[in-house]
Amino acid sequence: DIQMTQSPSTLTASVGDRVTVTCRASESVRRWLAWYQQKPGKAPKLLIYEASTLESGVPSRFSGSGSGTEFTLTISSLQPDDFATYYCQHYYNYPYTFGQGTKLEIK
Amino acid sequence: QVQLVQSGAEVKKPGASVKVSCKTSGYSFTGQFIHWVRQAPGQGLEWMGWINPYSGGTEYAQKFQGRVTMARDTSISTAYMELSSLTSDDTAVYYCASSPKSGYAAYWGQGTLVTVSS
């Protein structure tokens, strides 16, 4: 199984900050990678798929990049609604696996 | 708009089975895959598999092979996930999610809490 490792596990930042979350795959997943946002008690929400394609309706302050084994999710200017947990997921082969999550906290 | 509405919370005893339903609306049911993902309390997300509602074809994570069955009823645009031989490790929120492709999950249900306890 491909292992997905996110860093950091917790990120503390302020409104207006630019933040980056990294996701590393144990082997290449090409560009078959998605990012999700999850708030407590809620279902995950798709933000980005195919590494850099923004899902419809997702604010443009979110962006994704990378290919192969290293990927990043960037939020250009944090808004209060962005404090949540973020997960990456590959869908290159089976089983699809998720990263362990990055919790974004308010400073 | 796309909606996935799941069945309510369940409490099961170890060794029992649970069947969770996922009723969809707002799109062509046979045009999108349905994924099942679970999340144990305080833990991350775990992909369980998908079903192609058009063909009925399935792909299960090896971890759940032999214990999980995914099915659909196209007449009522509903997908099902049944998990058998439950243990306390299966206590989790189970989500269904739809996707235009077999990979990422675009639209999610609200989740169904399954508690396994003696």
Side-chain angles (χ1 to χ4, degrees):
Chain A
D1 299 1
I2 296 175
Q3 306 303 313
M4 307 300 291
T5 304
Q6 291 181 229
S7 59
S9 294
T10 306
L11 179 56
T12 304
S14 301
V15 172
D17 285 353
R18 178 184 179 92
V19 299
T20 297
V21 179
T22 297
C23 176
R24 289 187 173 88
S26 59
E27 60 186 84
S28 175
V29 298
R30 298 177 66 180
R31 291 182 59 83
W32 303 119
L33 186 107
W35 288 97
Y36 303 88
Q37 175 194 68
Q38 187 179 32
K39 297 182 179 179
K42 299 295 186 182
K45 173 187 175 183
L46 177 68
L47 299 175
I48 287 168
Y49 59 94
E50 290 177 19
S52 62
T53 302
L54 200 64
E55 171 70 348
S56 176
V58 174
S60 59
R61 63 181 180 273
F62 291 91
S63 63
S65 66
S67 65
T69 61
E70 187 151 338
F71 301 86
T72 59
L73 171 71
T74 299
I75 309 172
S76 60
S77 178
L78 274 174
Q79 299 302 301
D81 191 50
D82 300 338
F83 292 93
T85 299
Y86 293 84
Y87 293 93
C88 62
Q89 177 214 359
H90 87 83
Y91 47 101
Y92 176 69
N93 62 9
Y94 301 117
Y96 301 159
T97 51
F98 291 86
Q100 82 279 13
T102 293
K103 186 174 183 179
L104 182 51
E105 296 180 332
I106 301 174
K107 184 182 288 184
Chain B
Q1 74 280 21
V2 175
Q3 282 195 306
L4 289 80
V5 179
Q6 298 182 222
S7 48
E10 303 261 14
V11 179
K12 296 292 183 181
K13 294 196 181 303
S17 297
V18 68
K19 189 172 185 177
V20 179
S21 67
C22 174
K23 182 167 179 58
T24 72
S25 61
Y27 73 98
S28 172
F29 178 64
T30 54
Q32 298 201 13
F33 285 66
I34 296 286
H35 298 263
W36 290 89
V37 174
R38 75 177 186 180
Q39 186 170 37
Q43 302 301 308
L45 302 167
E46 182 174 31
W47 180 79
M48 300 179 68
W50 55 248
I51 182 168
N52 179 345
Y54 177 78
S55 65
T58 56
E59 183 71 40
Y60 302 143
Q62 188 166 10
K63 173 178 180 177
F64 300 102
Q65 290 273 3
R67 272 210 311 142
V68 71
T69 303
M70 296 178 189
R72 92 292 192 211
D73 184 336
T74 57
S75 69
I76 55 172
S77 301
T78 299
Y80 303 92
M81 187 283 299
E82 184 171 21
L83 189 63
S84 62
S85 303
L86 293 169
T87 71
S88 57
D89 289 342
D90 295 314
T91 293
V93 175
Y94 289 76
Y95 294 102
C96 64
S98 68
S99 173
K101 299 181 181 181
S102 64
Y104 58 89
Y107 304 99
W108 294 66
Q110 82 277 18
T112 296
L113 175 62
V114 175
T115 302
V116 183
S117 174
S118 55

